[in-house]
Amino acid sequence: MEIGPAEDVTVSRRRVDGAVEENRPWEAVDISRLSQASPWRTYRWYSGQQHYSGTYWSVTVRDHVIYESRLELARLLLADFDPSVRHIAAQPFLLKAQVQGKVRKHIPDYLLLTREGPLVVDVKPSRRLENPEVVFTFAWTRQVVQDRGWAYQVLSEPEPALLENVRFLAGYRRVWLFPADVLEAADGAIVDGMPLDEALGAVGGFAPELVRAGVFHLLWSGRFTTDLRQPLGPAHVLRRPA
């Protein structure tokens, strides 16, 4: 979509102490300040609301991260599972720019710090992606983000099986809940290419429920991988990352 240049681009952020830094030049504000900001807005509860808001405890940031819809929670889960993501900030800042003669404002849903660099994320149901206002807002946001050399992504509904598998594995994300000797034994006993049911039986000396939980934690943490595009089952083959 051709929208013309975005001019006078500024960013505002809310500090962790609640104070607001407003209308700073977009190019001049360091990524560390933006990534450590408090959410520009927080979720709201009211009678009859049509979406679900809440907080999710992220192992990536070791703290709670807010979301304003189930779709935002899905993106948050996938980011927390992604080993390339180093930090997650929700509602990280307010962008403001002059576009086509008017002042435009937008608050992205997430800012991710990844191995490849900053990634600004917006989340929107696929049914709304053709809405002209949404198209326009995402177009100028993409332009100002990419002009800074950062990546920009719009996420809609993820693959159902992938999301359900990641949601299941997220129940095993807290490493301190698992005895270190169980994790070490599982890591040593499981052979690359072993099906999940064989892997669960290959670890001796511990209660089966501890082994099962430990193997699922190793899948969450990336010590092993498997194809999560199909519902997780006994025949899933476990691989060691290259």
Side-chain angles (χ1 to χ4, degrees):
M1 179 181 185
E2 294 293 333
I3 60 171
E7 301 175 330
D8 299 324
V9 184
T10 63
V11 63
S12 301
R13 75 169 191 126
R14 190 178 305 280
R15 298 192 327 223
V16 293
D17 62 3
V20 174
E21 298 176 355
E22 293 189 277
N23 300 324
R24 304 297 176 84
W26 168 236
E27 293 285 348
V29 180
D30 187 79
I31 181 61
S32 63
R33 298 178 70 82
L34 296 178
S35 63
Q36 297 302 321
S38 291
W40 182 258
R41 63 173 182 245
T42 58
Y43 64 85
R44 301 173 298 278
W45 290 101
Y46 56 89
S47 177
Q49 78 177 44
Q50 299 300 306
H51 59 274
Y52 294 91
S53 304
T55 59
Y56 165 82
W57 193 89
S58 163
V59 70
T60 302
V61 300
R62 300 287 179 132
D63 203 350
H64 287 91
V65 181
I66 70 168
Y67 58 89
E68 292 187 316
S69 68
R70 289 295 187 184
L71 193 55
E72 285 189 18
L73 175 58
R75 184 61 184 93
L76 185 51
L77 280 163
L78 294 174
D80 205 30
F81 181 64
D82 186 345
S84 73
V85 175
R86 303 307 194 197
H87 186 73
I88 304 168
Q91 315 288 348
F93 48 75
L94 169 68
L95 278 176
K96 188 186 299 184
Q98 286 273 353
V99 184
Q100 295 185 356
K102 294 183 179 180
V103 175
R104 316 288 180 170
K105 299 179 182 180
H106 181 56
I107 305 168
D109 293 312
Y110 294 107
L111 171 63
L112 309 181
L113 301 188
T114 76
R115 291 173 186 163
E116 293 74 31
L119 170 62
V120 177
V121 178
D122 274 311
V123 179
K124 193 69 65 177
S126 56
R127 69 179 185 277
R128 297 186 59 191
L129 291 181
E130 295 184 2
N131 180 295
E133 183 177 351
V134 171
V135 172
F136 182 80
T137 298
F138 287 174
W140 74 257
T141 301
R142 180 183 299 276
Q143 178 177 305
V144 300
V145 169
Q146 292 182 342
D147 283 350
R148 189 164 178 176
W150 297 358
Y152 179 73
Q153 178 190 69
V154 176
L155 180 86
S156 295
E157 295 81 0
E159 296 180 50
L162 173 63
L163 177 58
E164 288 307 309
N165 285 333
V166 171
R167 180 177 289 141
F168 169 75
L169 293 176
Y172 302 89
R173 67 190 183 275
R174 298 172 174 86
V175 64
W176 61 88
L177 297 179
F178 305 95
D181 53 352
V182 173
L183 299 180
E184 291 172 5
D187 193 27
I190 298 173
V191 177
D192 184 73
M194 184 177 283
L196 178 59
D197 58 346
E198 292 185 25
L200 295 176
V203 186
F206 301 97
E209 59 270 20
L210 285 179
V211 173
R212 176 183 172 86
V215 170
F216 287 146
H217 173 73
L218 294 178
L219 277 169
W220 168 269
S221 62
R223 298 272 284 278
F224 293 98
T225 63
T226 193
D227 184 2
L228 296 179
R229 295 170 297 178
Q230 299 295 328
L232 192 61
H236 265 66
V237 174
L238 304 188
R239 296 291 185 186
R240 290 186 180 272

